[in-house]
Amino acid sequence: MLFKRKFAAFKKEAIHLLHEVSEDLSVYRIPFKIGESAVESAREYREHCQETLRKMELEAYSSDFLVRLASLYMDDLILTLFERADWLFQETHPKHPRKCALFALGGYGRSEMNLHSDVDLLFVYPDAPDEYVNYLTDAILYVLWDIKLEVGSATRSLKDCQKIMRGDVVTFTSYLDQRYLAGNQETAQKLILLLGEELASKNNTRIFAEAKRKEMLERHQKYGASVYILEPNLKEGEGGLRDYQTLLWIGLALSSFRHLEDFVMAGILTEGSFNELISARNFLWRLRNAIHFRVQKKSDQLTFPLQEQIAREFGFEESGGVLAVEKFMQCYYHHAANIKRITSLAISLLIQAPEKRLKIIQKKSTEHFDEYFGRLEGRIVPLKQDVFEKNPLNLLNVFLIAQRENLALDEECLRLLTLNVTLVDEEYLKKAEVQERIRELFGHIRGLGRILTLMHDVRLLDRLIPEFGEVLYRVQHDVYHIYTVDTHSIVAVYELTKLLEGAYDEEFPLFKDVLLQTPRPDLLALGTFFHDVGKGRGKNHSIVGAEMAHRAAQRMGYDDKECETVEFLVKSHLLMPHLSQRRDLGDSNLIIQFARSMQHMDNLNMLFLLTWADIRAVGPEVWTPWKGSLLTQLYQRTKQVLESGNFTKERAEKMMLEVRDEVVAALGNHVDSSVKRDFLDQMPIKYFLAHSPAEIASHLKQIEEVGLGHILIQITELKDENMNELLLHASSTPGLLAKTTGVLAVNNLNILEAKQYISKNGWALISLRFTDIQGQMLSEHRRWDLLKKDLLDIFEGRLRISDLIEQRKRPSWLTKKVARNLPTRIEIDNDVSAYYTIIEIYANDRVGILYQILTALSSLGLYVDVSKISTKVDQVADVFYVKDIFGQKIMESEKLKRIKMELLKVIEGD
């Protein structure tokens, strides 16, 4: 029966080969006439067509209409060239048989052409190529190549075509898109019938369908394995046009579906998913046309510059602190996610029909969890078709089973979930049983990340938690957030799940210990899940999100105290990364203030874990050992204050003496006692609070080796933190720190932190933490030697730093690609530190910028003791702890204004 139905369908197509044009297209047809030069005529016609299509696109003609019209214009061009070649050959060879047929393949065969799509052509002949075939292909292809069209062509016999159909999945796929254009109809009919015969084989089509599904999965891996790629590929990426086309190919092969409506008639697609798929496909077609127009060639990569340009073209505008480009990309990800979700499920249903799957489940499922669900092949399966309609609570029960049993959901289960998520409405959310089950889900971090991912995939999560729906597909337009806000939030929870389940036992033992000590992991999971929920409403997302999280927790049935804890975590989630990466952790006043804000250890522990998960979930390269080290220092110093009371000045002096005693004891007789005394007596108290006894002892050993009165330049590897330390001990001169950072910059080294201590006798000890430009520890001793030489040349006056910067300036083609240029921002804080004015600078990165900033600060009479350097992909974000020449904070408003003005001049080149 299957053979007869498919064969009849292809036989019917083989009989009707006339090239027909629908009425809605015919009125827009552009006549193509060939003048003296076929190439010039074709080029002019092509340009005219492109201009017409672009104008119609800007006038908001539908994209499905435009891709068909673009295909018609290509038809008229190629058919006219065919007719001309055929007529010219006939003039000179009136009796020669003309048995070649011409087909369009691929997107052109489907009549789905964008502005610069490839033109795939197939010339078919019965037996062997003859004079006519050679003449025809040359006459058509050379013109198309001369007008710079991307043409993919093949010239094959019917026998070759049949052989390829049986052995080459890729070529066979293109044959599925065949559309007869011109030439011998008998040859064309034979090719179509051959294709029908191949598809009539049940075994062939099953093998083909599985091969296409495997090919799709491999393609996803190649292009990033996520819908949410920063610069997505509209065609080949996950959720791209190729996924849509794969559904059509498998539908044609397995079920003879010719149109998307056939999928609805067969129950593979619902009316809703059909409309979502059409909307997504049309959006991607429109977007692809816009890219083609801007780059003037075939291109499928939606790059950062194109995102901003096309966002404006598509009418997106900035509002409420949300950029136009972020709204545009949110729209893209929404459509791409729909394509991925709908096509994946539909392909599964095509390969195995629901009725057949249910019979297998009922026959083979041996373990039943309850009357609704069982286990089969390591997956949870529905025992009836109406499991969710009969008991809507099963929408949550099935995930509780999956979490408890550590099982995946069967495809049939996912299909039924997708069909029934609409059962979740306001009344559903008010039910006590629903609230109880949501609390139960979040009550177990084990398995929670995986479960939230599954719930999100079937679009249940945003219905159960409407606040989460506000960040659905919400994007941040930078080059280090690799996930949308919704996915990032789930990934953060997933990091906690993996931590608990032992995935990070060797890498993060402290974080695992803290998690095991946390009495309310459910509140930690909720705070982590909700930490960015306010980003759907623009600025101040931590404050807005805290209020949203509080309301959501109330609705879920948590009591007031529990809601306040969740609110605290969301409101405070930016605090620890900010303080650890951008503040001086040796500042006792800072630690005291932070400890007071934590109130107790449970809050500190949960915020510590949330911060870890948040940073880890931004992207694979965002977490670094250095950030981990800083976060751990902040946690441990704050823990010490919370457990032992306030950190007073007297306590700081006592700690300094304790550290000194430990240093002296550790060194023993290895360092001369006079050197120890002179060095330890002269260094400021801050030095002893910022470094461990082991670090101070190491500094002293190195200084003694060169002698107290000589310059020390020493580079070491900090392997645990994957970075290097440069230790410099030299006479304190104006601009010493600036010159040092300048030398590192021109050596393409990335400075993470700079500390400078001025002793009472006028010597400076500078500690610089740095990596290479890729963020890795510098292990090449050749480069160490070059760095030391440059530093000595600068310090001893043989070379000026400005000349060195000019010599080593990177060529423009080596500069980093950024998502966008951001305005320079300078903030001054006199509240955080008791002894320093803190200057924060956000500016676009360039070689030598840190040197220029430090030089400007020096010229303003400011001394920098500590600098935290953070070079993100978009900007440098540098923090400087400064005092005036009298060792005081800068409090005068006029001087603060002048500092800002001078820094802006230096940074922006005025």
Side-chain angles (χ1 to χ4, degrees):
M1 184 66 188
L2 180 68
F3 174 87
K4 290 180 179 178
R5 181 162 59 86
K6 289 188 177 181
F7 191 79
F10 277 89
K11 187 174 181 181
K12 182 179 179 182
E13 180 183 347
I15 294 170
H16 296 88
L17 292 173
L18 294 179
H19 186 72
E20 298 175 352
V21 180
S22 60
E23 290 185 18
D24 66 330
L25 292 179
S26 60
V27 68
Y28 296 97
R29 208 163 193 163
I30 299 174
F32 173 46
K33 296 180 180 179
I34 299 178
E36 291 183 9
S37 168
V39 172
E40 287 306 314
S41 299
R43 182 179 288 113
E44 291 173 6
Y45 176 77
R46 176 73 173 150
E47 290 172 356
H48 186 186
C49 291
Q50 295 286 72
E51 290 169 5
T52 302
L53 289 167
R54 180 59 178 170
K55 182 180 178 183
M56 293 173 76
E57 183 187 8
L58 295 175
E59 291 173 357
Y61 281 74
S62 69
S63 54
D64 58 337
F65 173 82
L66 290 176
V67 297
R68 287 188 296 121
L69 184 59
S71 303
L72 174 61
Y73 288 158
M74 187 57 63
D75 284 352
D76 286 347
L77 171 62
I78 291 174
L79 286 171
T80 303
L81 292 173
F82 184 97
E83 290 165 2
R84 173 178 177 271
D86 183 68
W87 180 81
L88 289 173
F89 183 84
Q90 189 178 9
E91 283 286 297
T92 56
H93 303 76
K95 295 183 179 181
H96 195 288
R98 306 191 310 281
K99 294 189 176 182
C100 183
L102 176 61
F103 284 85
L105 302 180
Y108 179 32
R110 296 189 304 271
S111 295
E112 296 175 355
M113 291 200 71
N114 292 105
L115 285 174
H116 290 283
S117 291
D118 290 346
V119 180
D120 292 319
L121 297 174
L122 174 65
F123 295 86
V124 183
Y125 49 88
D127 299 310
D130 56 18
E131 207 174 344
Y132 174 68
V133 173
N134 294 331
Y135 182 85
L136 197 64
T137 54
D138 287 351
I140 295 173
L141 294 177
Y142 278 109
V143 174
L144 299 180
W145 290 332
D146 284 346
I147 66 172
K148 308 302 182 186
L149 277 176
E150 292 288 332
V151 182
S153 67
T155 307
R156 296 191 177 106
S157 69
L158 288 168
K159 187 176 181 180
D160 289 338
C161 290
Q162 186 176 37
K163 183 178 179 182
I164 287 172
M165 287 179 196
R166 293 176 178 175
D168 186 334
V169 171
V170 174
T171 306
F172 181 61
T173 303
S174 69
Y175 282 12
L176 290 180
D177 294 324
Q178 54 74 29
R179 179 166 57 88
Y180 170 74
L181 292 177
N184 187 276
Q185 293 193 15
E186 183 181 352
T187 302
Q189 288 170 345
K190 288 180 180 178
L191 177 70
I192 294 171
L193 290 174
L194 284 175
L195 183 60
E197 289 174 11
E198 290 301 316
L199 287 172
S201 166
K202 186 177 181 180
N203 186 56
N204 286 354
T205 54
R206 187 178 67 252
I207 292 172
F208 171 80
E210 290 293 354
K212 294 310 292 184
R213 179 154 68 168
K214 181 182 178 184
E215 180 186 278
M216 182 171 72
L217 295 174
E218 290 173 349
R219 174 169 44 80
H220 288 169
Q221 289 298 321
K222 179 180 178 181
Y223 285 89
S226 173
V227 167
Y228 312 107
I229 298 298
L230 290 173
E231 295 182 308
N233 187 296
L234 305 187
K235 187 176 181 181
E236 305 292 350
E238 192 167 305
L241 288 167
R242 191 68 84 197
D243 286 1
Y244 164 75
Q245 292 155 9
T246 300
L247 173 62
L248 298 182
W249 292 325
I250 293 177
L252 176 59
L254 292 180
S255 302
S256 298
F257 293 162
R258 286 286 179 183
H259 306 287
L260 209 54
E261 289 82 358
D262 297 335
F263 291 81
V264 180
M265 296 292 291
I268 301 296
L269 295 179
T270 65
E271 288 285 350
S273 60
F274 169 83
N275 291 329
E276 286 177 323
L277 193 55
I278 291 292
S279 176
R281 178 203 67 184
N282 291 351
F283 179 84
L284 292 191
W285 275 344
R286 183 188 176 199
L287 182 50
R288 195 167 186 241
N289 266 341
I291 293 174
H292 284 194
F293 175 77
R294 290 188 176 277
V295 302
Q296 287 300 301
K297 63 180 180 180
K298 186 188 80 167
S299 177
D300 298 304
Q301 205 76 30
L302 186 55
T303 62
F304 282 118
L306 286 172
Q307 289 171 20
E308 294 187 333
Q309 297 166 21
I310 295 173
R312 292 190 295 270
E313 180 184 317
F314 280 23
F316 290 89
E317 295 180 354
E318 182 176 352
S319 63
V322 182
L323 299 174
V325 68
E326 293 175 341
K327 293 180 179 179
F328 163 66
M329 289 305 294
Q330 182 177 18
C331 184
Y332 165 78
Y333 290 130
H334 169 76
H335 286 306
N338 279 345
I339 288 178
K340 179 208 169 185
R341 173 176 53 86
I342 294 168
T343 57
S344 296
L345 185 57
I347 288 170
S348 297
L349 296 177
L350 281 166
I351 290 175
Q352 188 167 64
E355 301 81 13
K356 184 176 181 181
R357 182 63 179 161
L358 188 59
K359 286 181 181 178
I360 293 173
I361 288 169
Q362 292 170 341
K363 183 178 180 180
K364 294 187 175 181
S365 178
T366 55
E367 180 182 352
H368 292 187
F369 299 112
D370 53 31
E371 63 180 297
Y372 300 106
F373 301 104
R375 182 200 302 258
L376 177 63
E377 298 171 355
R379 294 173 179 268
I380 297 175
V381 291
L383 300 176
K384 303 172 184 177
Q385 286 284 344
D386 61 353
V387 289
F388 300 114
E389 293 168 285
K390 194 169 183 179
N391 182 4
L393 285 176
N394 280 333
L395 290 168
L396 284 162
N397 291 338
V398 69
F399 289 104
L400 286 169
I401 295 171
Q403 186 180 32
R404 183 183 71 238
E405 302 292 334
N406 191 28
L407 292 174
L409 300 185
D410 180 77
E411 289 167 349
E412 179 61 10
C413 199
L414 291 171
R415 184 183 78 87
L416 294 175
L417 275 165
T418 303
L419 291 174
N420 289 283
V421 291
T422 53
L423 294 172
V424 178
D425 55 18
E426 288 187 18
E427 291 303 314
Y428 184 90
L429 296 179
K430 292 177 183 177
K431 294 179 180 179
E433 303 98 314
V434 170
Q435 297 167 5
E436 179 185 345
R437 282 160 174 77
I438 293 175
R439 292 198 304 275
E440 188 177 348
L441 275 172
F442 279 93
H444 304 280
I445 286 180
R446 189 176 298 277
L448 181 59
R450 181 176 59 85
I451 295 304
L452 292 178
T453 301
L454 284 172
M455 296 173 80
H456 187 34
D457 286 344
V458 297
R459 291 297 303 275
L460 177 63
L461 199 53
D462 54 291
R463 285 180 172 270
L464 289 170
I465 306 173
E467 293 82 3
F468 182 72
E470 295 196 30
V471 293
L472 208 61
Y473 314 123
R474 177 81 166 78
V475 66
Q476 291 176 263
H477 189 56
D478 57 46
V479 293
Y480 45 89
H481 280 89
I482 69 167
Y483 300 114
T484 51
V485 176
D486 53 340
T487 302
H488 163 77
S489 302
I490 294 172
V491 171
V493 176
Y494 217 143
E495 286 295 297
L496 294 175
T497 294
K498 290 192 285 186
L499 182 66
L500 182 66
E501 293 176 349
Y504 299 130
D505 282 359
E506 292 186 10
E507 192 175 359
F508 301 113
L510 172 62
F511 293 92
K512 175 74 172 284
D513 290 344
V514 173
L515 179 57
L516 293 174
Q517 296 167 24
T518 302
R520 292 300 303 271
D522 57 334
L523 301 183
L524 168 62
L526 272 176
T528 304
F529 178 74
F530 281 123
H531 77 276
D532 273 348
V533 74
K535 284 187 174 177
R537 300 190 181 182
K539 296 180 178 179
N540 301 318
H541 78 274
S542 56
I543 296 173
V544 173
E547 296 169 356
M548 295 170 70
H550 188 112
R551 288 195 299 271
Q554 274 185 325
R555 188 181 62 249
M556 293 176 189
Y558 289 93
D559 64 32
D560 289 346
K561 187 175 180 181
E562 292 166 335
C563 292
E564 287 170 4
T565 299
V566 174
E567 181 180 2
F568 162 81
L569 290 173
V570 176
K571 185 181 291 184
S572 307
H573 80 272
L574 298 175
L575 197 52
M576 288 190 84
H578 177 78
L579 294 179
S580 62
Q581 296 171 36
R582 305 188 57 70
R583 290 293 180 262
D584 177 17
L585 299 180
D587 187 335
S588 58
N589 190 59
L590 171 87
I591 302 298
I592 291 169
Q593 288 186 42
F594 178 60
R596 286 172 180 162
S597 72
M598 291 298 98
Q599 300 177 13
H600 52 74
M601 277 304 301
D602 285 348
N603 280 350
L604 176 64
N605 285 341
M606 286 192 287
L607 194 61
F608 179 54
L609 292 166
L610 192 163
T611 303
W612 171 85
D614 185 15
I615 298 173
R616 297 272 306 167
V618 172
E621 297 180 1
V622 175
W623 175 271
T624 63
W626 173 237
K627 288 178 182 175
S629 172
L630 294 175
L631 181 61
T632 301
Q633 286 179 51
L634 174 61
Y635 170 75
Q636 291 175 333
R637 290 178 184 180
T638 307
K639 179 182 178 183
Q640 185 180 30
V641 172
L642 286 171
E643 290 178 343
S644 63
N646 279 343
F647 198 103
T648 62
K649 182 179 178 183
E650 291 74 20
R651 172 67 178 152
E653 290 176 350
K654 183 181 177 183
M655 281 187 65
M656 180 200 72
L657 294 174
E658 291 172 354
V659 169
R660 284 186 52 161
D661 290 344
E662 286 187 50
V663 171
V664 171
L667 288 171
N669 297 323
H670 296 292
V671 174
D672 185 88
S673 58
S674 63
V675 174
K676 281 187 287 191
R677 184 180 60 254
D678 288 347
F679 179 80
L680 296 175
D681 287 347
Q682 299 295 324
M683 294 301 286
I685 187 172
K686 180 178 180 57
Y687 171 69
F688 297 95
L689 300 179
H691 295 274
S692 68
E695 288 174 326
I696 296 172
S698 174
H699 295 170
L700 253 170
K701 286 180 182 179
Q702 294 173 64
I703 289 169
E704 188 192 40
E705 285 180 10
V706 297
L708 268 178
H710 297 85
I711 294 177
L712 166 69
I713 303 175
Q714 185 64 44
I715 299 170
T716 54
E717 294 179 341
L718 306 178
K719 292 184 178 179
D720 289 344
E721 295 170 351
N722 193 30
M723 64 176 64
N724 300 83
E725 181 182 47
L726 168 68
L727 189 68
L728 171 67
H729 190 238
S731 178
S732 178
T733 57
L736 179 66
L737 180 59
K739 292 174 183 177
T740 306
T741 59
V743 172
L744 266 70
V746 298
N747 278 273
N748 286 329
L749 298 173
N750 182 35
I751 301 170
L752 300 170
E753 182 180 60
K755 292 181 179 178
Q756 177 175 241
Y757 308 99
I758 309 298
S759 66
K760 296 173 186 175
N761 59 3
W763 276 71
L765 180 69
I766 294 176
S767 168
L768 286 173
R769 301 284 178 99
F770 68 89
T771 65
D772 66 16
I773 204 68
Q774 282 80 37
Q776 302 299 313
M777 183 173 65
L778 183 66
S779 300
E780 300 174 54
H781 285 247
R782 177 186 59 81
R783 291 188 63 187
W784 291 16
D785 294 339
L786 177 61
L787 178 60
K788 291 178 181 179
K789 179 180 181 303
D790 286 344
L791 286 167
L792 280 173
D793 285 345
I794 295 296
F795 296 154
E796 294 176 359
R798 290 187 293 273
L799 188 64
R800 291 189 307 174
I801 186 66
S802 57
D803 294 336
L804 188 60
I805 289 174
E806 190 60 34
Q807 288 175 17
R808 305 276 179 86
K809 189 174 288 185
R810 280 173 284 179
S812 59
W813 57 271
L814 274 178
T815 56
K816 298 176 185 176
K817 180 174 72 171
V818 297
R820 54 188 168 133
N821 284 327
L822 299 172
T824 300
R825 183 158 54 95
I826 299 173
E827 297 176 359
I828 299 180
D829 187 330
N830 266 316
D831 297 326
V832 170
S833 174
Y835 307 105
Y836 294 92
T837 294
I838 300 173
I839 301 174
E840 290 189 77
I841 298 175
Y842 301 83
N844 292 306
D845 194 16
R846 66 172 183 268
V847 173
I849 188 172
L850 180 58
Y851 161 73
Q852 292 169 331
I853 291 171
L854 288 169
T855 300
L857 292 174
S858 178
S859 68
L860 288 164
L862 304 177
Y863 289 85
V864 177
D865 270 7
V866 177
S867 178
K868 285 285 187 78
I869 313 300
S870 174
T871 306
K872 296 182 178 179
V873 183
D874 295 77
Q875 286 190 311
V876 293
D878 298 342
V879 182
F880 304 93
Y881 278 65
V882 304
K883 294 179 178 179
D884 64 15
I885 57 174
F886 303 108
Q888 303 296 317
K889 294 166 71 170
I890 300 92
M891 304 299 295
E892 302 87 351
S893 58
E894 288 302 315
K895 185 160 186 180
L896 292 173
K897 285 181 183 178
R898 185 182 164 218
I899 291 170
K900 273 193 175 184
M901 287 176 57
E902 292 299 319
L903 288 172
L904 278 171
K905 286 180 182 178
V906 168
I907 294 166
E908 298 183 349
D910 293 338

